[in-house]
Amino acid sequence: MKIIRAKDYKDMSRKAANIISAQVIMKPNAVLGLATGSSPVGTYAQLIDWYNKGDIDFSEVTTINLDEYRGLPREHDQSYWYFMHKNFFDSVNVQPDRIHVPNGSNPDAAEACREYDAIIQRAGGIDLQLLGIGHDGHIGFNEPGAAFELGTHCVDLTKETIEANKRFFNNDESLVPRQAYTMGIKTIMQARKVLMVASGADKAEIIKKAFFGPVTPEVPASILQMHPDFVLVGDQAALSLV
Ligand code: F6R
């Protein structure tokens, strides 16, 4: 485990983008595992900036996102498909047929998850997986208690997540998806490199617990302590307790 200290969110984003950029320069047809959420948005913005300057080329890259709500069409403005296009794909030259997000429109969970695992396998596995971390230590939608040995699977969203998300759905809880498809921890651990970005004082407690406490399914991210090439880039606030 390697911890890189950044000054602030901008510095964290630049450092993370540098690591991704190095990966793509070293292996132009790299398979990048990507995440949504607020933590990586600055990283994507930095990569877009370097793409516009001609410093990085995504034409041979394959992307595989961590998760997607079950039951939301791609076009829905709260789908992770939509988020990724708005924040990254629409502004760079990743080829559309090399972009993968779990298929939230497929109501057959077993099939959707099987297909996703097959996509990851056909791509030859993930070279670099980008992650954020939830306040309870979740990675992807692998919430506390999640089994370490799962591939892509369907999860029930916790009450807290549904409650927290309703602001994005006209404050109507009945519109919030109840389930999601997520890459499992086994798949994340099989990525050849894992890069986590963490920012803000509200992440300090969980960073300490996940990476300086015991490895336990109660803190899903803690398993990353065992990954042979795990890099955490955190800003000062997020790393203030370690
Ligand atoms: C995103 C994801 C989540 C987030 C986590 C942190 O695809 O799977 O695990 O990484 O919830 O979210 P932010 O970055 O918004 O604090």
Side-chain angles (χ1 to χ4, degrees):
M1 177 166 81
K2 191 174 179 70
I3 298 183
I4 298 177
R5 283 182 187 268
K7 284 196 288 288
D8 49 22
Y9 182 82
K10 194 163 196 265
D11 189 33
M12 173 198 80
S13 303
R14 281 174 68 89
K15 286 181 160 63
N18 260 306
I19 293 169
I20 295 171
S21 174
Q23 170 70 65
V24 174
I25 290 168
M26 296 296 281
K27 187 177 177 191
N29 64 347
V31 178
L32 301 180
L34 299 178
T36 61
S38 52
S39 309
V41 168
T43 306
Y44 296 140
Q46 181 62 76
L47 289 171
I48 291 168
D49 184 38
W50 287 335
Y51 166 75
N52 286 333
K53 289 179 174 143
D55 288 341
I56 181 164
D57 170 31
F58 295 96
S59 62
E60 292 178 50
V61 163
T62 294
T63 67
I64 301 188
N65 260 83
L66 277 173
D67 41 18
E68 178 61 284
Y69 290 116
R70 179 182 185 215
L72 278 198
R74 286 173 167 181
E75 307 72 43
H76 194 289
D77 65 4
Q78 291 306 319
S79 81
Y80 286 177
W81 171 274
Y82 187 93
F83 176 100
M84 285 306 300
H85 281 75
K86 186 165 78 115
N87 287 292
F88 189 46
F89 298 141
D90 285 349
S91 306
V92 295
N93 65 339
V94 183
Q95 299 303 294
D97 60 340
R98 296 210 182 100
I99 292 172
H100 305 287
V101 180
N103 182 2
S105 313
N106 186 350
D108 183 339
E111 184 185 73
C113 295
R114 204 170 44 241
E115 276 176 0
Y116 209 59
D117 281 338
I119 286 171
I120 298 169
Q121 207 172 10
R122 270 201 305 276
I126 294 166
D127 289 303
L128 184 156
Q129 176 66 53
L130 179 62
L131 294 177
I133 184 169
H135 294 110
D136 56 2
H138 71 243
I139 45 178
F141 266 116
N142 298 283
E143 297 284 354
F148 283 158
E149 70 275 10
L150 288 179
T152 306
H153 59 288
C154 183
V155 292
D156 294 331
L157 303 193
T158 59
K159 268 179 92 101
E160 296 72 45
T161 304
I162 294 168
E163 173 65 26
N165 284 359
K166 80 174 184 208
R167 65 187 196 278
F168 301 121
F169 293 85
N170 297 330
N171 269 320
D172 182 347
E173 216 180 279
S174 69
L175 298 177
V176 184
R178 293 301 197 252
Q179 291 182 310
Y181 298 142
T182 184
M183 215 185 257
I185 289 179
K186 182 175 89 179
T187 319
I188 294 171
M189 285 299 281
Q190 284 170 344
R192 288 179 273 280
K193 188 180 196 73
V194 177
L195 169 63
M196 177 179 279
V197 280
S199 159
D202 57 316
K203 293 285 170 74
E205 243 346 299
I206 192 63
I207 291 291
K208 182 174 167 202
K209 212 166 150 186
F211 305 120
F212 294 86
V215 174
T216 161
E218 290 316 310
V219 185
S222 64
I223 188 73
L224 295 166
Q225 293 182 37
M226 320 274 283
H227 192 280
D229 190 0
F230 169 54
V231 182
L232 165 64
V233 184
D235 66 9
Q236 243 163 23
L239 297 181
S240 58
L241 299 179
V242 301

